[in-house]
Amino acid sequence: QQMMGNETPDLDDADQFKSFFKTIQKLNEEDKLMAYHDRSDGGLWATLNERVFAGRCGAIVDIQTDLLSTLFNEELGAVIQVAKKDEAAVLAEFGAQGLEACVSVLGTAYTFQRIVVTQAGETILEESRADLQKAWSETSYRLQALRDNPNCAKLEYERIANNQDGGLFSNLSFNPNENIVESLTNDKMRPKVAILREQGVNGHVEMAAAFFKAGFESVDVHMSELISGKKDLSEFVGLAACGGFSYGDVLGAGEGWAKSILFNQQARQTFSDFFNRPDTFGLGVCNGCQMLSNLRELIPGAEAWPHFVRNESEQFEARVAMVEIQSSPSILLAGMEGSQLPVAVAHGEGRAEFNNDDISGHIALRYIDHEGEVTEQFPFNPNGSAQGNTGLTTDDGRFTIMMPHPERCFRTVQNSWAPEEWQEDGAWLRMFRNARKWVG
């Protein structure tokens, strides 16, 4: 108690806190903040380590005051990262708000993966990022190994020691800033896409927004309307089966959704008619991927589509993964072949299970690692699908299914990371614009 102090953290100056908040907002609007992290439980030391872990980088930190109270107090505070050229301007902005006594230069971030703490020119501590992160993560790893597939837990834990991991990247075969349907985007001439909604579906808003951005009229269609005959699919050129959290309480997620169609004559007929029209297309994502894969008997050219089963990790996986777009007939992925890029994933039953282990059909999408190689290794392949398969299309390419969520990152700002050359439109918007171009 004597070493660590006996005063509890508090907020004794609300006006000062408000000024700090406003200053941070102003600096952010002026693009002067490279990173921000609240001083967290564990104090400055925990905050610095979390920053280094997340950035796979290193830092030299110089402590001018008492070591223990500075590194471990949990008073309100934050660590911000700014470019060296902006340092003086940032300090001046805090000074203009009367906060000069609250702000100090702490140290410098480096690409080498070590964290060094100095005081009065003396090195107090120097440790590798990997050793600190493994110590930090070991308890979680041990619990994960008991709860989940222990091999998956081990693979993820061992990746911490890899100092060569380049992280997310983008290698595109097209220009994401090019609007290939600019001449077709007319509010008076928008083809209709049915955005299907059912129990558990929660990705319909993002899906509707992506198709609307590409020049379609997105129409909310609830399955109860199709089952009752109140509505059919004759007025639509496209349909999207969206993701969500399972299908009510039915095991098998999208499989339950598919059975509500297969075992209802009204719904079965309207879907069959839609699939067999030559002027239609469809996209199934996550739960919708599972659902459409179980309707393969109704979809021309989908006979080889797999069944989707529980992830190898035995857990729901919500991550950002890297994928490579394969050469396939898919009209949605036309001109995107060979591209490698990040995408959001969120599913519990995404492992593709092919008949008799014979991987066939038109593979449209595969998981890759951070070196750009097709992979089955967790966590780069979040579900364990053989040969990284995570998207397929039909013989004519009109219907495409995939586990990842391109509709959740069709704008650049929706991505946790994106190259600087991307502008408003994220790379995945091209997929939806491809559909609009195909409709004509």
Side-chain angles (χ1 to χ4, degrees), residues 4-316:
M4 302 304 290
N6 54 19
E7 295 181 18
T8 58
D10 61 3
L11 174 62
D12 56 8
D13 190 334
D15 289 336
Q16 189 180 69
F17 178 72
K18 291 177 183 178
S19 295
F20 168 78
F21 178 81
K22 289 177 181 178
T23 304
I24 290 294
Q25 298 306 307
K26 185 174 187 292
L27 292 171
N28 192 40
E29 290 170 1
E30 295 173 351
D31 289 328
K32 286 190 171 66
L33 294 187
M34 298 173 67
Y36 172 99
H37 196 321
D38 291 319
R39 178 158 49 192
S40 51
D41 290 346
L44 177 61
W45 178 239
T47 303
L48 289 170
N49 277 281
E50 289 177 340
R51 292 285 301 277
V52 166
F53 299 160
R56 286 284 174 123
C57 62
I60 296 179
V61 179
D62 185 50
I63 304 300
Q64 301 288 338
T65 53
D66 178 70
L67 198 67
L68 288 177
S69 62
T70 301
L71 286 178
F72 296 104
N73 86 75
E74 296 179 339
E75 296 284 356
L76 288 175
V79 175
I80 62 173
Q81 181 181 358
V82 302
K84 192 69 179 176
K85 64 179 177 62
D86 293 328
E87 180 183 309
V90 169
L91 290 173
E93 186 62 42
F94 279 108
Q97 300 298 323
L99 299 170
E100 59 275 0
C102 305
V103 181
S104 62
V105 177
L106 190 60
T108 307
Y110 292 93
T111 54
F112 66 76
Q113 298 197 30
R114 302 188 70 78
I115 184 165
V116 182
V117 179
T118 65
Q119 187 179 44
E122 180 185 355
T123 297
I124 306 299
L125 176 73
E126 180 174 355
E127 295 283 351
S128 75
R129 186 276 313 164
D131 288 345
L132 288 171
Q133 190 172 352
K134 288 187 79 172
W136 177 278
S137 304
E138 185 174 3
T139 301
S140 297
Y141 158 60
R142 299 292 181 188
L143 290 170
Q144 184 182 359
L146 293 171
R147 183 195 65 179
D148 307 348
N149 181 320
N151 184 55
C152 290
K154 183 180 180 182
L155 286 170
E156 187 166 24
Y157 183 67
E158 289 177 344
R159 290 295 301 183
I160 290 174
N162 183 353
N163 286 336
Q164 306 306 315
D165 192 328
L168 301 176
F169 67 95
S170 172
N171 180 19
L172 303 182
S173 62
F174 62 97
N175 179 4
N177 302 318
E178 179 190 5
N179 184 355
I180 61 171
V181 293
E182 188 170 9
S183 63
L184 296 173
T185 306
N186 186 326
D187 285 341
K188 295 180 180 179
M189 298 177 62
R190 287 180 172 266
K192 292 183 179 180
V193 173
I195 310 297
L196 301 180
R197 199 153 49 85
E198 180 54 291
Q199 294 183 57
V201 166
N202 63 10
H204 51 291
V205 175
E206 299 101 311
M207 189 70 79
F211 274 108
F212 181 83
K213 177 80 171 178
F216 289 95
E217 178 183 347
S218 299
V219 181
D220 179 67
V221 178
H222 198 280
M223 283 299 302
S224 61
E225 297 176 293
L226 299 176
I227 290 172
S228 67
K230 182 179 179 181
K231 186 182 286 288
D232 62 30
L233 296 172
S234 60
E235 64 183 295
F236 301 101
V237 296
L239 69 77
C242 311
F245 286 104
S246 195
Y247 170 73
D249 295 323
V250 176
L251 296 176
E255 187 171 355
W257 183 359
K259 287 176 179 176
S260 72
I261 296 167
L262 293 173
F263 299 152
N264 178 278
Q265 187 55 43
Q266 182 75 36
R268 183 185 180 103
Q269 189 62 54
T270 192
F271 274 91
S272 180
D273 291 346
F274 179 86
F275 294 142
N276 282 279
R277 280 169 44 200
D279 63 336
T280 59
F281 73 91
L283 170 65
V285 166
C286 195
N287 264 28
C289 171
Q290 297 163 343
M291 186 274 271
L292 286 183
S293 75
N294 281 281
L295 295 184
R296 54 188 172 274
E297 65 186 83
L298 304 182
I299 304 174
E303 297 82 4
W305 281 1
H307 184 62
F308 290 91
V309 297
R310 189 164 177 78
N311 295 344
E312 187 178 20
S313 69
E314 301 174 10
Q315 288 297 325
F316 182 90

